Amino acid sequence: MNAPQGPGDLDDEYESFELKDDDADEDYDSDDDDFDDDDDLDDAEEEDIDLVVAAYTEEGIRTAVGLSPELANDLEELIVQLRRLPGDAGAVGFVSLAEEMFVIVRVRGAHVQVLLSDGSMAGEWPIARDVADLLGLAEIPDEDEVDPLGDLNILADSGVSEIDMARWCSDDETGTDQIVLEIADAVGVGADFRRVVQSEYGH
């Protein structure tokens, strides 16, 4: 795991969050949904939601902020809220549910990148289904397809390599809430991230 970066690395580090056009996914548009049966999935309840936190940088200061837990069930609205944050180069959102899956969403303007840690969760949770939809999958992964969905390089230019991310996604012994904290450490926002999680979610 990469060591957390110090305050002196903020400016260079945050530039890495800037999306490259050739790496960015297409704009998210709910009218293009491929799956119409999201309503057959139960929303995550309060006890299922480990955290919904965003990270952004403004004037060289990296910040973590808590977002509404309701966003753990709605990728489209999560993207809307990330666009509203005052970051110099976009924002990154992190969701963990039931200590069994995490979603990372990276937004800069119209560009959106996503990562779902476990593709089989697309049959369990609405936000995971939304990720599969955004990625344009023809079919929802079945319960045996535990591979991640999306871009394993989503934070590569912030010091989290594809190999690191794949390792975190495949870790079935550590709760995903703890894994997300490790990722926050790796991109240099761990202390503030932990403060938000403790304040908003009590752990």
Side-chain angles (χ1 to χ4, degrees):
M1 180 174 61
N2 295 317
Q5 300 181 27
D9 298 317
L10 284 172
D11 292 340
D12 291 340
E13 173 198 324
Y14 193 73
E15 290 179 2
S16 67
F17 272 81
E18 188 170 340
L19 296 178
K20 302 173 183 177
D21 290 340
D22 56 349
D23 290 335
D25 292 322
E26 293 182 358
D27 300 1
Y28 183 79
D29 186 346
S30 61
D31 293 334
D32 294 334
D33 287 352
D34 293 323
F35 306 124
D36 297 324
D37 54 349
D38 278 6
D39 56 1
D40 67 353
L41 299 178
D42 293 332
D43 281 353
E45 302 290 343
E46 181 178 355
E47 61 269 21
D48 301 315
I49 301 169
D50 304 320
L51 58 88
V52 185
V53 180
Y56 65 92
T57 291
E58 187 176 21
E59 297 182 352
I61 300 175
R62 177 62 62 83
T63 302
V65 294
L67 300 177
S68 170
E70 295 178 358
L71 299 177
N73 290 306
D74 190 341
L75 178 62
E76 180 180 6
E77 186 60 26
L78 175 58
I79 290 169
V80 169
Q81 295 305 318
L82 289 173
R83 285 198 177 114
R84 291 178 176 173
L85 292 175
D88 300 328
V92 180
F94 302 85
V95 176
S96 174
L97 293 180
E99 300 182 8
E100 66 180 6
M101 59 147 272
F102 65 82
V103 172
I104 301 175
V105 184
R106 181 174 173 179
V107 176
R108 187 186 183 199
H111 301 299
V112 177
Q113 292 171 285
V114 292
L115 175 67
L116 168 63
S117 63
D118 179 350
S120 70
M121 293 294 104
E124 298 291 333
W125 301 107
I127 195 169
R129 179 76 58 85
D130 288 346
V131 170
D133 181 29
L134 175 60
L135 293 172
L137 297 190
E139 296 181 355
I140 299 169
D142 64 34
E143 61 184 11
D144 297 322
E145 296 183 42
V146 297
D147 292 334
L149 296 179
D151 189 356
L152 289 169
N153 284 309
I154 191 168
L155 299 177
D157 47 8
S158 291
V160 178
S161 71
E162 180 177 355
I163 293 174
D164 290 333
M165 193 66 79
R167 174 175 55 82
W168 275 312
C169 289
S170 64
D171 184 349
D172 58 4
E173 295 184 357
T174 306
T176 53
D177 55 338
Q178 295 303 309
I179 290 173
V180 169
L181 290 174
E182 292 179 11
I183 296 171
D185 285 337
V187 299
V189 72
D192 205 33
F193 204 101
R194 282 178 165 77
R195 176 189 59 76
V196 170
V197 171
Q198 178 62 39
S199 174
E200 300 284 338
Y201 299 94
H203 60 85

